[in-house]
């Protein structure tokens, strides 16, 4: 068995990035922390044309074994951030099973298939994803990075945040930013500087995480071996890798666990340790904590800076990506003068409860994985196995009903339900569509980085007053129509997309329906298309858009036909 340290990792796999470096004196958004969440935000803001400086205290991508699983929501956000399917390797996971040494399989989640155009669950290699995000960010002329540069402090003024950066060469630089985003990880300085202590419990258990290649008996799924003596999550990953996570027993030390002899012993049940290459190993203590508020004034927290979770449901980074999608467009719309500053308050209102719900699920999963004794294991695992005898409970677990839905109870959307399947404050589904050019794409590509008025089997702009439409377009709005397969209308062919798999008709709404969809694909408003003028005006009011319909109409009559 070959054991490699972190420093000898597979650098060849990490594509070269040549960041546009430098520290401008003034910028729209300063991102502190260029990990996966900071890099996703840089891409999203870059797509909206926002001037961004992302700084990171480290020059290199962090190589220790961390996130390995992403769900369909995360993949959709990465798509939104501009990543293409081939940008990083993924392995689709067909199922997740929970196994007890006494009872055998007592739980199973079906992760085969897709939701919103992406596999329900994949494993991936975090450094490769981070490299892809950094590479894509370079495509945006408005994104600059400064690596080896750390935030030292900042002060907030009425109209800006003035940050002091330590440039790593004994000097400091000052940057004036309209907004500052702390994506600086679990030990966030930004969080400390805005006085937001973490609350919530810390797990006392330590875990050894091992990534290896060349297992003799590889698996194609994820399994949790819920042995009270030593629980072990085990999963397949890209590039012939597998991951094991071993809970430390009382008295076991980090040094002992990270030693070659112990790793050999732990991996022996999977056969052929002589042939295995141990790529990465690290002992972690997991935490479950959420900041009391995700923002203060012009400063926002995102990713691990805002919330940290045990990894038992693979949602730490996923939650950070949800933050990125939720926050980026709001900041962009405010900076572009399309929305009132007040919409920024909805970031905390929308994101914090969901992040907390995911952490609660991870804690629940932790209790299943780590029973305290043989008796507790039999009781808990046996009960779960019994509940699976009923079809409803089996569906609930197998089909991920247990996972909190990304639907906001409060936030930036029209109140109440409309009566359609669409939920205001919930996601617009994504399907496969054929565009005006005949190419088949995922439907979010039709929406683009815009606020969208979507028509279901109808042109939603038809009933919209010319002045309202001009204001909508001046507010970053675009019009899209999804029609039944083979039913595109010649009048506005350029905005008409065929719904190839029924995602929209009848999947989301009845014929003749309209919805206003935020750039993060959350439904802002919906109703019958004949009332689209009202939907548009109310949506602009919700955004607090300073763009008045009449003024926009007078200024840009040509936009009406777009
Ligand atoms: C063992 C393990 C398994 C996991 N499994 C999963 C999983 O399967 N799925 C999942 O979704 N998540 C998982 N996670 C969680 C996931 O790895 C994290 O949520 C994710 O990496 C957080 O990204 P981030 O960008 O918020 O923070 P980080 O990746 O920590 O990045 C923060 C960055 O900020 C920089 N920084 C810090 N302070 C400063 C400063 N003062 N100035 C400038 N820069 C600064 C750091 O150098 C760093 O680059 C796992 C984590 C662990 C440990």
């Amino acid at each position: 068995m070959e054991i490699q340290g972190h420093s000898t990792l597979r650098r060849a796999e990490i594509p070269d990035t040549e960041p546009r470096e430098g520290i401008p004196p003034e910028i729209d958004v300063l991102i502190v922390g260029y990990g996966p969440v900071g890099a996703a935000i840089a891409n999203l803001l870059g797509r909206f044309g926002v001037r961004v400086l992302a700084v990171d205290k480290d020059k290199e991508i962090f190589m220790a074994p961390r996130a390995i699983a992403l769900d369909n929501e995360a993949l959709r956000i990465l798509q939104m951030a501009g990543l293409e399917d081939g940008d990083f390797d993924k392995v689709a996971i067909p199922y997740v099973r929970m196994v007890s040494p006494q009872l055998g399989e007592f739980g199973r989640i079906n992760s085969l298939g897709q939701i919103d155009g992406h596999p329900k669950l994949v494993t991936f290699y975090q450094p490769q994803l981070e490299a892809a995000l950094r590479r894509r960010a370079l495509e945006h002329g408005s994104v600059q990075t400064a690596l080896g540069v750390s935030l030292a402090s900042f002060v907030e003024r009425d109209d800006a945040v003035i940050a002091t950066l330590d440039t790593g060469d004994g000097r400091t630089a000052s940057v004036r930013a309209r907004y500052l985003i702390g994506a600086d990880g679990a030990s966030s300085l930004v969080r400390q500087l805005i006085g937001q202590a973490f609350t919530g419990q810390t797990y006392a258990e330590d875990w050894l995480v091992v990534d290896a290649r060349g297992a003799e008996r590889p698996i194609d799924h994820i399994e949790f071996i819920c042995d009270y003596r030593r629980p072990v999550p085990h999963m397949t990953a890209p590039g012939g890798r597998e991951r094991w996570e071993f809970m430390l027993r009382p008295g076991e030390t980090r040094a002992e666990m990270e030693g070659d002899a112990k790793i050999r012993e732990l991996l022996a049940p999977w056969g052929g340790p002589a042939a295995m290459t141990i790529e990465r190993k690290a002992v972690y203590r997991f935490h479950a904590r959420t900041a009391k508020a995700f923002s203060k004034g012009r400063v926002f927290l995102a990713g691990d800076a805002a919330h940290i979770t045990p990894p038992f449901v693979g949602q730490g980074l996923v939650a950070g990506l949800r933050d990125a999608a939720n926050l980026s467009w709001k900041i962009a719309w405010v900076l572009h003068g399309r929305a009132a500053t007040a919409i920024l308050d909805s970031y905390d209102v929308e994101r914090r409860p969901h992040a907390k719900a995911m952490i609660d699920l991870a804690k629940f999963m932790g209790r299943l994985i780590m029973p305290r004794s043989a008796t507790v294991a039999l009781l808990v695992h046996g009960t779960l196995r019994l509940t699976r005898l009923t079809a409803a409970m089996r569906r609930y677990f197998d089909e991920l009903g247990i996972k909190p839905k990304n639907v906001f109870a409060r936030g930036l959307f029209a109140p109440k339900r409309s009566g359609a399947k669409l939920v205001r404050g919930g996601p617009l589904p994504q399907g496969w569509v054929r565009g005006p050019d005949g190419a088949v794409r995922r439907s979010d590509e039709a929406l683009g980085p815009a606020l969208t008025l979507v028509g279901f089997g109808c042109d939603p702009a038809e009933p919209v007053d010319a002045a309202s439409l001009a204001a909508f377009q001046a507010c970053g709005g675009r019009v899209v129509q999804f029609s039944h397969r083979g039913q595109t209308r010649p009048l506005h062919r350029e905005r008409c997309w065929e719904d190839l798999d029924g995602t929209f008709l009848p999947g989301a709404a009845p014929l003749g329906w309209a919805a206003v969809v935020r750039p993060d694909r959350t439904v802002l408003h919906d109703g019958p298309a004949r009332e689209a003028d009202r939907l548009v005006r109310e949506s602009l009011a919700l955004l607090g858009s300073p763009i008045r319909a009449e003024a926009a109409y007078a200024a840009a009559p040509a936009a009406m036909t777009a």
Side-chain angles (χ1 to χ4, degrees), residues 65-89:
R66 295 196 295 165
I68 189 162
L70 291 177
D71 67 7
N72 53 285
E73 290 180 44
L75 295 173
R76 189 177 183 184
I77 293 167
L78 292 170
Q79 175 196 348
M80 213 183 290
L83 258 59
E84 292 183 1
D85 279 350
D87 276 359
F88 68 107
D89 299 333

Side-chain angles (χ1 to χ4, degrees), residues 32-38 55-58 65-69 126 149-151 183-185 189 209 243 284 286 303-304 311 314-318:
V32 179
Y34 204 38
V37 173
V55 300
D56 201 293
K57 65 180 170 55
D58 291 336
R66 295 196 295 165
I68 189 162
Q126 181 168 343
V149 171
S150 51
L151 176 80
D184 49 346
L189 174 64
V209 179
R243 170 169 296 182
Y284 288 99
F286 300 135
D304 280 14
Q315 283 286 324
L317 174 53
V318 177

Side-chain angles (χ1 to χ4, degrees), residues 263-532:
I263 291 178
R264 273 193 199 95
E265 177 198 318
L266 290 168
L267 288 182
W270 287 275
M276 276 202 230
T277 303
I278 307 301
E279 247 186 21
R280 310 189 290 179
K281 54 194 165 119
V283 170
Y284 288 99
R285 178 163 293 190
F286 300 135
H287 301 278
R289 288 173 166 171
T290 318
K292 282 186 190 140
F294 285 9
S295 65
K296 183 165 184 254
R298 294 180 169 271
V299 180
F300 299 85
L301 301 174
D304 280 14
H307 41 73
I308 43 174
T309 176
F312 305 129
V313 287
Q315 283 286 324
L317 174 53
V318 177
L321 292 173
R322 287 194 196 97
D323 299 341
N326 190 293
L327 179 61
S328 300
W329 79 270
K330 290 174 184 170
I331 289 187
W333 255 244
V334 170
L335 284 169
H336 291 326
R338 295 167 172 172
T341 314
I343 72 162
L344 299 174
D345 296 342
S346 66
Y347 170 61
D348 175 75
V349 171
E350 292 180 346
R351 280 297 306 134
R352 197 152 47 89
H354 190 265
K356 193 164 176 316
M358 277 299 178
I359 292 174
D360 290 344
L361 177 64
K363 291 202 266 190
F364 170 75
M365 191 69 183
R367 284 195 285 277
L368 288 186
I369 297 168
M370 302 178 283
R372 298 280 158 212
S373 64
T375 318
V376 175
L378 268 177
L379 197 72
V380 173
H381 299 160
T383 308
L384 197 67
R385 198 171 159 170
L386 281 177
T387 58
R388 284 174 50 81
L389 293 176
T390 66
M393 284 309 282
R394 216 168 34 245
R395 260 198 316 277
Y396 181 63
F397 284 105
D398 292 10
E399 301 307 323
L400 287 167
I402 194 169
K403 184 176 165 188
K405 298 221 173 346
N406 197 17
V407 176
F408 310 130
R410 292 189 310 124
L412 179 57
F413 51 90
K416 301 193 181 135
R417 294 288 300 261
S418 63
K421 282 185 206 158
L422 286 179
V423 180
R424 297 169 183 170
L428 179 78
Q430 170 162 239
W432 290 93
V433 292
R434 182 158 41 218
D437 59 356
V440 173
R441 297 187 176 88
R442 293 191 183 95
S443 56
D444 282 359
E445 305 309 323
L447 272 58
L451 179 71
T452 323
L453 174 63
V454 178
F456 295 80
C458 60
D459 180 357
E462 230 168 66
V464 181
D465 175 274
S468 311
L469 192 57
F472 184 68
Q473 285 164 336
C475 186
R478 107 167 10 174
V479 179
V480 164
Q481 172 180 344
F482 293 124
S483 297
H484 284 300
R485 190 174 193 145
Q487 287 194 1
T488 49
R489 286 203 194 162
L491 184 58
H492 286 298
R493 235 189 115 67
E494 75 287 352
R495 63 187 184 215
C496 195
W497 297 70
E498 285 175 84
D499 178 11
L500 297 181
D501 56 8
T503 296
F504 298 101
L505 286 161
L511 194 71
W513 206 255
V516 180
V517 181
R518 305 182 341 187
D520 63 355
R521 316 306 180 212
T522 301
V523 177
L524 179 65
H525 208 343
D526 75 323
R530 63 176 181 281
E531 297 174 21

